[in-house]
Amino acid sequence: YYPAILRVLDGVLSIDPKNFEATTFKSSVKMSQHQFAEARELAEKARQINPNNAYVYGVLVDANVELGNYEEAVAMSDKMQALKPSLESYSRASYLREIYGNYPSSIEAMKLAVQAGLPGSEPQCWSKNTLAHLYETTGQLDKAEQQYDGILSVRPSYAFALRGKAQVYKARKEYDKALTELEKAARIMPEFSFHEEMAEIYALQGDKDKAQRKYVEVAKMLDEDARSGHSVDLELCKLYTKTGQLDSALVYGMREYQKRPKNIDVNHALAWVYFNQKNVPKAQEHMRVALRTGLKDPELLQRAGAIAKAMGNAEASNKLIADARKTNPN
C-alpha cells in the first residue's frame, strides 16, 4: 500500500506544499521504504515548518541512524526527549545506547519505553518485543521469552512476538518448535524475514534442499517489495552471502554502500562478503567502519575476530571474541 499512500500524500502536497502532516507522514513512508536520504530531507522540511514537534525529531533520529550519521542522531534524540519524554523517545535513546556499546543502559531505556506505553497497545507490544530482543542478544533467553509471552497473552496474533519465540527456540536448538512459531507468524504477515529464518533452521537441521527452496522464495518476496518502491539491496546482499552467491552479494552490497557509506550494518555486510571471498584487507577496511561507535553486538564482534585472525592479529582476534562473550556468554 505504500505507493497508494504516497499518491494521497502527493495530492495533498500539490495543493498545500507546506502541509506539515503530509510532509511528516511522507518522510515516515520513505523510512519504511528504506529511502533514507529522501526521508531525512522531508523530515528536515517538516522541522522547518514546525520545530516543536517531537515526532519529526524521531524520524530524523531514524534517518540519521540509517545514513550512519550517529552523532547527529544523538542530537536529534536529545531534542526529542526534551520536547516529549515518551515511549517513542525512550525507545530511540535505547537504540542509540546500543549502537554506542552500552547494552545495560539500552535495556533500561527500553524498560522506560514499555512503562510509558498504553498496556496492550501496539506501540507497547513493539517496545516489549524490542526489549525481548535486547535480552536475547545478551543471552538472557528466559527474560526474552517472558516478554514475548507477555505480548502474546494480550495479542495472540502479534507476528513479531511469534518470530521472537522462534528465535529463543532456535538459540536452544529446539528447531521444530522454532519452525512451528515461524509458520504461525508467516500465516499472519507476509514478512520475508520469517521465511529467511525458516531457511536458516532448515540448513541447521541439515536439509540443504529445503533451505535452498526457501531462500529462492525469499528472493521473490524481496523482488516484490522492490517493485513497490522498497529499497532491498542490503537484504539481498545478506541473502546472497548466506547462499554463497558472493558475486551477487557484492553487487547489491555496493549499491547500498553508494547510498550510505557510513552505516554500520552496510559495512558489516560488506566486510563479511569480502571475508568469504578471501579478500581480507577489504573485509578489515569495512569492519573498521562497522566498529567505530563501539557497538558490542556479539555477531559483529565474532566476525571482526575472524577477520583479525585472518589478518594475522591473534591478540586483537582473542580480545574481540572475549568481548562478544561478555555481551552474550552463549
Side-chain angles (χ1 to χ4, degrees):
Y1 292 108
Y2 289 139
I5 294 166
L6 288 171
R7 281 196 296 275
V8 173
L9 292 171
D10 286 340
V12 174
L13 290 167
S14 69
I15 299 163
D16 180 7
K18 291 192 174 180
N19 185 290
F20 173 74
E21 288 81 3
T23 305
T24 305
F25 295 153
K26 186 174 179 181
S27 70
S28 292
V29 174
K30 292 294 179 180
M31 279 299 303
S32 296
Q33 291 183 309
H34 292 187
Q35 296 179 24
F36 304 120
E38 198 172 343
R40 182 176 180 271
E41 187 182 331
L42 284 161
E44 283 289 359
K45 279 185 187 173
R47 181 166 70 139
Q48 287 164 19
I49 297 166
N50 181 359
N52 297 312
N53 181 276
Y55 183 91
V56 172
Y57 288 98
V59 180
L60 285 167
V61 172
D62 299 341
N64 279 300
V65 163
E66 297 297 347
L67 292 168
N69 304 330
Y70 300 111
E71 290 180 3
E72 180 71 10
V74 170
M76 294 298 102
S77 175
D78 288 347
K79 288 183 178 178
M80 187 182 187
Q81 298 264 3
L83 283 167
K84 188 179 181 183
S86 64
L87 179 152
E88 291 80 9
S89 57
Y90 293 138
S91 61
R92 285 175 171 90
S94 170
Y95 188 44
L96 287 164
R97 290 174 186 184
E98 180 184 356
I99 285 170
Y100 280 93
N102 193 337
Y103 274 105
S105 185
S106 175
I107 287 169
E108 289 309 309
M110 194 54 72
K111 284 180 182 175
L112 289 175
V114 171
Q115 290 165 15
L118 181 68
S121 66
E122 199 284 334
Q124 194 206 39
C125 288
W126 179 88
S127 298
K128 284 174 77 71
N129 199 73
T130 308
L131 176 60
H133 184 67
L134 287 167
Y135 283 137
E136 196 184 315
T137 302
T138 53
Q140 302 177 73
L141 295 181
D142 289 345
K143 287 184 176 180
E145 190 171 32
Q146 285 169 10
Q147 293 298 324
Y148 292 133
D149 286 339
I151 297 165
L152 293 168
S153 69
V154 293
R155 286 185 176 236
S157 63
Y158 199 81
F160 290 104
L162 292 167
R163 189 263 298 274
K165 285 273 287 187
Q167 289 170 321
V168 171
Y169 286 134
K170 179 184 169 188
R172 291 174 177 157
K173 297 184 168 54
E174 298 179 65
Y175 298 133
D176 288 338
K177 286 184 179 180
L179 286 169
T180 298
E181 298 302 319
L182 286 168
E183 284 159 6
K184 284 185 204 168
R187 283 196 292 271
I188 293 162
M189 182 184 288
E191 164 63 33
F192 81 90
S193 64
F194 301 163
H195 295 271
E196 191 170 16
E197 280 160 29
M198 285 183 212
E200 287 176 19
I201 292 170
Y202 294 143
L204 288 167
Q205 290 178 320
D207 194 337
K208 290 181 181 177
D209 290 341
K210 207 166 185 179
Q212 187 58 37
R213 287 197 298 274
K214 184 57 81 171
Y215 278 130
V216 169
E217 192 180 327
V218 172
K220 286 179 183 172
M221 293 179 79
L222 287 169
D223 184 55
E224 286 171 12
D225 282 353
R227 288 200 299 271
S228 294
H230 197 108
S231 177
V232 295
D233 291 333
L234 179 59
E235 288 75 13
L236 285 167
C237 170
K238 291 177 179 179
L239 176 67
Y240 288 130
T241 305
K242 286 174 188 171
T243 58
Q245 297 165 274
L246 298 176
D247 289 343
S248 294
L250 186 58
V251 167
Y252 286 107
M254 288 306 299
R255 275 191 202 170
E256 194 67 25
Y257 182 75
Q258 298 304 321
K259 290 179 277 188
R260 43 193 190 125
K262 298 186 289 181
N263 177 270
I264 287 170
D265 292 335
V266 175
N267 280 280
H268 177 183
L270 273 174
W272 202 236
V273 175
Y274 281 122
F275 178 77
N276 281 282
Q277 288 184 326
K278 314 297 184 197
N279 188 342
V280 183
K282 285 293 286 183
Q284 177 82 329
E285 182 185 315
H286 286 285
M287 187 53 78
R288 239 183 246 117
V289 179
L291 292 170
R292 77 185 193 278
T293 62
L295 177 64
K296 301 295 183 190
D297 176 78
E299 182 183 68
L300 177 70
L301 293 173
Q302 189 176 26
R303 289 178 171 181
I307 292 167
K309 186 177 181 181
M311 289 288 290
N313 194 337
E315 187 181 344
S317 175
N318 291 337
K319 184 181 184 308
L320 287 159
I321 298 298
D323 285 345
R325 289 206 179 101
K326 276 182 197 169
T327 300
N328 186 339
N330 302 322

